[in-house]
Amino acid sequence: MAKLKRKIKRKGEKKKQKSIDEHMMWFDKMPDHCVNCFKPYIKNNKEMAQKWTVVVRKKQDKVNLYCDVCWDEANQMIEEIKEDIK
């Protein structure tokens, strides 16, 4: 019984490590500026990390970074288009 518990625990740890490695890979591909307005992004700035939006496109193998202003403008534009369609 103890062997089975250890085996399950090791398997869970391997999955967790694989997930962390994958996230680190995407973090390395993240640009250092907003892809829309080219405003610079400072990676060690906590306020920027909380306000800016990261979009990962796995199929395209691409990471997009948007500042809070550009992200809000895009969302407003989407809402306006939705209202126009209705």
Side-chain angles (χ1 to χ4, degrees), residues 15-76:
K15 276 187 177 180
K16 190 175 184 181
Q17 184 60 40
K18 186 176 180 181
S19 175
I20 291 170
D21 291 343
E22 184 178 307
H23 283 93
M24 290 304 293
M25 177 192 71
W26 291 112
F27 186 76
D28 291 340
K29 293 183 179 186
M30 190 171 72
D32 58 350
H33 60 277
C34 174
V35 296
N36 192 35
C37 68
F38 298 102
K39 182 177 175 182
Y41 176 72
I42 302 166
K43 290 185 178 181
N44 58 1
N45 185 331
K46 189 175 182 179
E47 185 177 338
M48 281 185 169
Q50 291 176 345
K51 290 185 176 182
W52 287 43
T53 303
V54 178
V55 178
V56 177
R57 300 198 180 269
K58 290 183 180 181
K59 290 183 181 178
Q60 297 173 349
D61 195 36
K62 187 175 181 182
V63 179
N64 293 328
L65 181 65
Y66 298 96
C67 68
D68 50 345
V69 176
C70 291
W71 187 255
D72 291 340
E73 287 175 1
N75 283 329
Q76 287 175 356

